[in-house]
Amino acid sequence: MIQKLFLLCVGIATIALVLPYALTGHWLFALIIALGGLFWWYGWSHKLPGISTLYLLGVTAFCVLGVWINLVPFYFLASLLAALTAWDLDRFDQRLNKVDRVELKHVVVRKHLIRLLFVVVLGLLVGGAALLLRFNLTFGWVLILGLVTVLGLSQVYNLFKREINKQ
Amino acid sequence: MRQLLFLGSLIFGLIIFGLISLNGILIALALPLLFYLGAAVFFGPEKPDLLMTRTLSRDSTTRAQPVEVHVALTNQGHQIEEILVEDILPKGLAAVEGDTKILTSLAPGEIFQFDYSVQGKRGIYDFGPMAVTVSDPLGITYKKSVISAEQRLLIFPDYQKLRPLSIHPPRTRDYPGPIRSRQGGAGVDFYGVREYQMGDPIRWINWKVSARHSGTLFTNEFEKERIADVGIIVDARQQSDIQRADDTLFDYSVYAAASMADAFLTAGNRVGLLVYGRGMERTFPGYGKVQRERILQSLAYARTGVNFALESLELLPTRFFPSRSQIVMISPLNPDDYGVLVRLRASGYDLILVSPDPISYEMAKYKPGNLVDTARRLATIERALLIRRVQRVGIQVVNWDVNTSLDKALTTVLAQQVRTHHVMGVVR
């Protein structure tokens, strides 16, 4: 079940990323992305460590490139969400496989899938709304967002520091 | 934590890139990732409030008999979406049935139970705390904690039921037993003839001898059968031990000590134990099943070790064993020990040396070849000469090839001893 969903997400992520490049005649990028998708599938079937993380990073990089060359952004949102879902499912599958036994496996899997679906659907709605919403990014907004980013970064840094000190 | 770092970096990368390039689409693309991460952090795990009990089906066992471990985990706190429970086994123990690393979810007040069986080699095993990892619903953030539940499992050494061992210490105790005491009295075996004394049973009168001496009656005497004091010394010096991949020569010494202690105690003797090497671990002499348990427990603890003060047997506390009693020394036998063995014998102890053969044991590690074969032959000759020197001072030596039965090795040597004593009896 998890593996089928995982493969479906990999397919969606790859196709959604290939399409905007292919439709606009960027064949080289489209080919690289398609090969990347195949490499992901190969790496996953051969249990290469960190393959999903690498592919999510690659998908994000091609999304940034696509936005940079003014391709349709909705494809990228779909691709990024599918890649994120595949990344999550892969890690979940690894967690299930590295233990001796999963007590009431079907319940644990079902609960996880429901939570993931909820987060992904909300992410899609929020991301879609943000893409549809048009407003000028003035200097004031940039300053505010920049401050929020710096604050967020410092919070994450503190969180890491606390966790490392605990360990 | 690595996932958190990765996602955080990805989100901040998108936002910063969007801000630098003044492109809102990149910030919009970061939002689903931010939402995912936010959900993971917001519903992040709290410190679990768990109560654990671990029960062993028995506190002590043997290597062949697995022990069942029952673990019950009660969630006294909030809902836990994903919890990884890992009972960390002490080194040397292995789970033979059931699982020790389980993933589950726990509702408030829920009791989660699991069982597994463990087996291991001789020793004392302390079960430590149980590792618990609680994660958020998406598995991004973790909280690890340990729940203490200390338990101790004792695995006794293996031992063989031996045939009755024939020993003849110079001094026996006053209670009836199976050992000929070298004293005349009530018994089975003929010991000698003495002049009749008031109270002697009439059927003990030796009429043939009495007929040769007019006016005097003679009575047959029988050899009293008594129990004896037996002291077992196990050589646990590091220098006497040889290690192979899965066992050590010392394990065989422990096996021999346990088997012989069992045989002596079954015969009703008083048995004490001294493990000499890393320290001097003593089990004071005693009788019966309780003493067998004490000795097996002491042998379960026994380990070789380096102690510079006890490198030679010079400090062997012979006073620990009653004078002129039977001493069984279990040692691979070092050439330096010869002097101490002679002194022990000279002090009046009857000494049996059970020596697990280190040469045949160590040879299993090497592939056959000319050089190895020559080395083996030289070592065997050297050992044979040493054993002969030891035998010459009246010490019974059981040269035990650990690949053969201990019972057979002991019977061969101790049967010879019986014959020797019979001959001595006739001469006397």
Side-chain angles (χ1 to χ4, degrees):
Chain A
M1 168 77 166
I2 297 170
Q3 290 172 358
K4 279 178 189 167
L5 271 174
F6 171 78
L7 287 174
L8 182 73
C9 289
V10 171
I12 291 170
T14 310
I15 292 165
L17 201 57
V18 165
L19 270 178
Y21 284 100
L23 289 174
T24 51
H26 295 90
W27 293 106
L28 181 65
F29 290 135
L31 186 69
I32 292 170
I33 294 160
L35 287 174
L38 284 175
F39 178 68
W40 191 358
W41 176 78
Y42 173 82
W44 171 77
S45 59
H46 285 78
K47 300 197 187 307
L48 291 184
I51 190 75
S52 296
T53 304
L54 193 69
Y55 196 72
L56 180 58
L57 196 67
V59 166
T60 313
F62 274 100
C63 286
V64 172
L65 181 70
V67 171
W68 187 258
I69 56 175
N70 288 323
L71 300 183
V72 183
F74 289 100
Y75 289 108
F76 302 129
L77 179 66
S79 177
L80 200 61
L81 273 169
L84 180 70
T85 310
W87 179 73
D88 177 280
L89 288 174
D90 187 32
R91 284 186 315 104
F92 183 58
D93 193 40
Q94 281 173 22
R95 285 207 301 282
L96 296 187
N97 286 332
K98 78 177 180 189
V99 296
D100 297 335
R101 175 160 61 98
V102 181
E103 190 74 9
L104 296 170
K105 189 174 179 180
H106 61 284
V107 176
V108 173
V109 171
R110 197 182 62 220
K111 276 184 175 178
H112 183 85
L113 291 181
I114 290 169
R115 283 191 296 260
L116 183 63
L117 185 72
F118 178 73
V119 171
V120 167
V121 167
L122 274 179
L124 183 68
L125 291 176
V126 171
L131 284 177
L132 288 172
L133 205 69
R134 294 271 165 200
F135 68 94
N136 285 333
L137 209 58
T138 58
F139 179 73
W141 276 110
V142 170
L143 199 67
I144 290 166
L145 281 172
L147 276 172
V148 169
T149 309
V150 169
L151 278 172
L153 266 175
S154 66
Q155 286 296 313
V156 170
Y157 173 76
N158 285 334
L159 181 75
F160 276 120
K161 211 171 155 185
R162 272 205 304 274
E163 289 297 324
I164 288 165
N165 286 341
K166 267 185 204 170
Q167 285 169 11
Chain B
M1 282 315 270
R2 276 186 305 168
Q3 283 83 10
L4 188 65
L5 183 67
F6 169 69
L7 265 188
S9 309
L10 214 59
I11 292 162
F12 282 118
L14 280 171
I15 292 174
I16 288 168
F17 204 68
L19 287 174
I20 292 168
S21 62
L22 290 177
N23 193 333
I25 295 170
L26 291 178
I27 297 169
L29 284 180
L31 286 178
L33 298 178
L34 193 64
F35 201 80
Y36 180 91
L37 188 68
V41 173
F42 186 76
F43 296 107
E46 289 173 31
K47 197 173 188 302
D49 184 7
L50 300 165
L51 179 73
M52 189 191 87
T53 51
R54 189 198 283 119
T55 323
L56 306 183
S57 60
R58 60 177 75 93
D59 296 335
S60 56
T61 184
T62 58
R63 196 170 61 161
Q65 201 165 26
V67 171
E68 282 174 25
V69 183
H70 176 78
V71 180
L73 203 64
T74 311
N75 181 15
Q76 296 178 318
H78 51 85
Q79 169 84 26
I80 300 172
E81 297 298 345
E82 260 185 49
I83 178 168
L84 175 67
V85 182
E86 188 179 6
D87 203 356
I88 302 161
L89 297 181
K91 196 181 170 190
L93 276 189
V96 288
E97 205 184 314
D99 305 307
T100 58
K101 196 174 178 182
I102 300 168
L103 185 82
T104 187
S105 62
L106 278 179
E110 189 180 339
I111 301 171
F112 172 58
Q113 301 180 69
F114 63 97
D115 300 275
Y116 61 90
S117 304
V118 288
Q119 248 178 331
K121 285 184 179 178
R122 167 186 70 87
I124 306 284
Y125 296 97
D126 288 316
F127 282 80
M130 178 179 274
V132 169
T133 308
V134 184
S135 70
D136 67 83
L138 297 167
I140 297 285
T141 52
Y142 294 92
K143 265 207 165 54
K144 288 184 178 178
S145 57
V146 287
I147 310 169
S148 63
E150 292 183 3
Q151 220 89 35
R152 175 167 277 196
L153 175 66
L154 184 70
I155 300 186
F156 290 136
D158 293 339
Y159 65 93
Q160 186 184 0
K161 283 277 174 198
L162 301 173
R163 278 174 274 183
L165 300 170
S166 175
I167 52 170
H168 298 275
R171 182 180 288 172
T172 49
R173 296 185 68 78
D174 292 336
Y175 307 108
I179 296 164
R180 290 200 299 274
S181 64
R182 302 180 191 183
Q183 288 170 7
V188 178
D189 287 348
F190 178 74
Y191 184 70
V193 180
R194 62 162 168 77
E195 206 169 319
Y196 177 81
Q197 287 170 3
M198 287 288 284
D200 282 348
I202 293 172
R203 60 194 176 91
W204 283 10
I205 294 172
N206 190 323
W207 294 109
K208 282 183 182 173
V209 177
S210 302
R212 278 191 234 127
H213 300 83
S214 61
T216 315
L217 285 175
F218 288 90
T219 312
N220 283 340
E221 259 192 328
F222 298 93
E223 193 170 11
K224 280 183 189 171
E225 286 172 343
R226 294 284 180 260
I227 59 163
D229 275 307
V230 181
I232 299 175
I233 302 171
V234 181
D235 182 357
R237 292 171 296 165
Q238 186 80 62
Q239 76 232 39
S240 305
D241 194 21
I242 298 169
Q243 300 228 333
R244 280 198 310 212
D246 55 345
D247 60 2
T248 66
L249 189 60
F250 180 69
D251 289 332
Y252 289 94
S253 295
V254 168
Y255 173 79
S259 305
M260 293 183 82
D262 173 62
F264 289 130
L265 285 167
T266 305
N269 299 299
R270 197 168 78 137
V271 182
L273 174 77
L274 174 71
V275 181
Y276 184 94
R278 196 174 56 170
M280 283 193 268
E281 289 140 31
R282 305 152 207 238
T283 307
F284 285 93
Y287 302 95
K289 286 180 183 174
V290 175
Q291 182 66 1
R292 180 188 295 128
E293 189 90 358
R294 278 195 209 116
I295 287 177
L296 288 177
Q297 198 165 330
S298 187
L299 288 171
Y301 279 103
R303 293 279 175 278
T304 55
V306 180
N307 186 333
F308 293 114
L310 305 180
E311 266 188 347
S312 83
L313 295 177
E314 292 286 341
L315 292 179
L316 205 62
T318 48
R319 294 282 172 208
F320 179 61
F321 302 110
S323 65
R324 303 178 71 208
S325 63
Q326 177 71 54
I327 287 184
V328 177
M329 177 129 195
I330 300 167
S331 166
L333 190 60
N334 291 336
D336 300 341
D337 301 338
Y338 173 73
V340 179
L341 294 176
V342 171
R343 266 206 301 282
L344 262 178
R345 182 79 183 101
S347 308
Y349 291 104
D350 195 41
L351 193 59
I352 296 174
L353 175 70
V354 178
S355 182
D357 184 4
I359 300 163
S360 61
Y361 179 80
E362 198 168 8
M363 281 307 294
K365 286 206 294 190
Y366 302 106
K367 287 176 184 169
N370 282 340
L371 198 66
V372 172
D373 195 41
T374 311
R376 182 188 60 78
R377 284 169 59 196
L378 284 171
T380 307
I381 292 166
E382 195 181 10
R383 181 172 163 79
L385 287 171
L386 180 62
I387 287 175
R388 197 166 294 173
R389 278 177 71 200
V390 172
Q391 280 172 328
R392 227 175 273 153
V393 292
I395 297 171
Q396 296 290 316
V397 182
V398 180
N399 183 20
W400 176 38
D401 178 355
V402 295
N403 300 311
T404 63
S405 157
L406 173 69
D407 191 32
K408 196 178 165 189
L410 284 170
T411 311
T412 310
V413 174
L414 298 181
Q416 284 170 359
Q417 190 189 21
V418 173
R419 280 203 297 276
T420 315
H421 277 274
H422 271 290
V423 172
M424 282 168 71
V426 170
V427 171
R428 193 164 49 208

